[in-house]
């Protein structure tokens, strides 16, 4: 069986529960290497443990997607751990502005599960790296 995400590196924010947790598990089942990130360290570590049972080990970290320094640290951790980032899925439900996808560099992938959430900090910080 071919896995759709085999060999890909995916970052999932809001991974401590709900849609974010489900996304982490599904990405691992589909062969991805995953960094699960959330504001709550305990719940994101639980997600990593659960998802690891579905396939390969999952890295986890604490992040506040509304704080650029926190996002930069998360990106640095992912690149150090996996060597790159291929895809980002923002499931962190923060109210606020929207990510202006039309301003991103061609080839970058940025997915938000919540149209009202504020993935702009994460996307603006990371999409240029994914496009490289």
């Amino acid at each position: 069986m071919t896995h759709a995400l085999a060999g890909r590196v995916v970052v999932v924010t809001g991974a401590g529960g709900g849609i974010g947790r489900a996304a982490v598990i599904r990405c691992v089942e589909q062969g991805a290497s995953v960094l699960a990130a959330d504001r709550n360290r305990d719940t994101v570590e639980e997600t990593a443990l659960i998802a690891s049972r579905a396939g390969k080990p999952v890295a986890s970290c604490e992040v506040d997607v509304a704080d650029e320094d926190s996002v930069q640290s998360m990106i640095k951790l992912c690149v150090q751990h996996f060597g790159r980032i291929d895809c980002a899925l923002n499931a962190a439900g923060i109210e606020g502005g929207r990510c202006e996808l039309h301003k991103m560099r061609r080839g970058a992938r940025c997915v938000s599960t919540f149209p009202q959430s504020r993935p702009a900090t994460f996307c603006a910080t990371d999409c240029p790296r994914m496009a490289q």
Side-chain angles (χ1 to χ4, degrees):
M1 177 189 315
T2 303
H3 295 295
L5 297 175
R8 302 286 186 199
V9 176
V10 179
V11 176
V12 179
T13 63
I19 293 171
R21 177 173 284 177
V24 169
I25 293 167
R26 187 66 176 147
C27 287
V28 170
E29 289 172 345
Q30 289 298 310
S33 297
V34 178
L35 174 65
D38 196 274
R39 288 182 67 183
N40 185 314
R41 179 170 294 285
D42 292 336
T43 60
V44 78
E45 287 177 355
E46 181 181 354
T47 295
L49 179 64
I50 292 167
S52 293
R53 294 181 191 139
K56 56 180 104 182
V58 174
S60 66
C61 72
E62 187 174 340
V63 69
D64 178 354
V65 296
D67 178 334
E68 190 170 345
D69 290 336
S70 182
V71 171
Q72 286 286 354
S73 294
M74 175 190 67
I75 292 166
K76 183 177 179 181
L77 174 69
C78 188
V79 172
Q80 286 174 342
H81 194 80
F82 296 114
R84 67 184 194 283
I85 299 172
D86 296 313
C87 182
L89 188 145
N90 182 55
I94 298 174
E95 294 296 321
R98 294 177 185 227
C99 185
E100 297 183 41
L101 295 176
H102 66 281
K103 292 185 179 179
M104 290 183 192
R105 291 176 61 192
R106 185 176 178 192
R109 295 179 211 93
C110 183
V111 178
S112 175
T113 56
F114 297 101
Q116 298 88 345
S117 70
R118 195 179 99 179
T121 301
F122 180 31
C123 292
T125 304
D126 190 52
C127 284
R129 178 183 301 277
M130 288 189 293
Q132 291 175 351

